[in-house]
Amino acid sequence: MNDQHQIEKWEGKVAIDLSTNEIQAWSLLSDFFSLHLWLPGVSTCEKVAGSESLPGSIRYVASPAYESGEVNWAKEELTGFDPVERSFSYRVVDSNMGFGEYVACFRVLPGMKDGCRLEWSFECEPVIGWTQEGLLGYMDSGLKGMAERVEKASNSDMVNFEGKVINGGTNCKANDEVNGQIHCEVNGA
């Protein structure tokens, strides 16, 4: 009888290659509370609890308001953070988007030549109002938009020493990593 009550699981993965190197990409994407800077369709990402790389930290993410005034939102808990492997995992703990159990992993991997590969994988219960293919399509589109923003930021003069986007200023290109610390070459303004 228990076999009849097994919950269906969806699994999927999307990936994209970038010309940006993995150190630069990780320095931009590793802050758990900066998703709104990188993922199109997310206008808000706020710390609810914790710190950017501490498992147990919780963020609130939301879309811009639709014409109806409705906002899609989720609270997500950081469940793992590995700066050496350049990855973090998280789970949805609450949302208004139909998510039940949902866990995901985001990784920045070495790519071809000097570039990197972004990879976003998930395992979840079926999401109310979605198909598995629709969820994968949403993630793929989001990852493509994220890749465009990362490429633009890494090629602009709007990155500070920690790799965070700022409004104008010094052009900092991450070119070395020693003991987990990013060292930059400053190109004067």
Side-chain angles (χ1 to χ4, degrees):
M1 186 155 162
N2 286 342
D3 292 335
Q4 294 175 345
H5 295 286
Q6 272 190 330
I7 297 175
E8 178 185 0
K9 292 284 186 181
W10 291 352
E11 293 182 7
K13 181 187 330 182
V14 294
I16 191 166
D17 293 314
L18 283 73
S19 61
T20 302
N21 73 52
E22 71 221 60
I23 294 169
Q24 286 179 295
W26 178 249
S27 71
L28 296 171
L29 299 170
S30 62
D31 181 350
F32 189 62
F33 304 118
S34 70
L35 187 63
H36 62 296
L37 299 175
W38 310 111
L39 186 61
V42 172
S43 61
T44 302
C45 182
E46 299 172 347
K47 177 173 72 168
V48 174
S51 68
E52 73 181 54
S53 60
L54 184 64
S57 297
I58 296 176
R59 68 184 177 191
Y60 168 83
V61 296
S63 69
Y66 297 103
E67 286 183 26
S68 66
E70 180 184 353
V71 172
N72 287 334
W73 61 269
K75 288 184 181 175
E76 300 172 340
E77 177 185 8
L78 184 65
T79 57
F81 186 87
D82 188 338
V84 174
E85 293 294 322
R86 296 185 180 91
S87 69
F88 62 85
S89 56
Y90 65 95
R91 68 185 187 98
V92 172
V93 294
D94 194 14
S95 83
N96 72 344
M97 298 184 293
F99 287 97
E101 182 181 322
Y102 175 95
V103 295
C105 181
F106 185 83
R107 299 171 24 153
V108 178
L109 303 167
M112 299 177 64
K113 297 189 180 183
D114 294 331
C116 72
R117 172 173 274 237
L118 305 182
E119 181 182 278
W120 190 5
S121 61
F122 71 92
E123 181 179 306
C124 66
E125 296 172 347
V127 181
I128 297 168
W130 291 74
T131 63
Q132 184 173 0
E133 294 76 23
L135 182 58
L136 275 168
Y138 169 79
M139 291 177 67
D140 186 59
S141 174
L143 193 63
K144 287 176 181 170
M146 184 183 291
E148 288 175 17
R149 289 179 177 190
V150 167
E151 295 277 38
K152 184 176 180 180
S154 68
N155 291 318
S156 76
D157 67 348
M158 298 180 64
V159 179
N160 72 9
F161 292 102
E162 290 81 35
K164 307 295 185 233
V165 173
I166 57 176
N167 294 325
T170 305
N171 183 7
C172 174
K173 302 284 186 179
N175 61 9
D176 194 15
E177 184 175 16
V178 178
N179 296 325
Q181 299 294 313
I182 303 298
H183 297 268
C184 297
E185 170 185 304
V186 177
N187 299 318

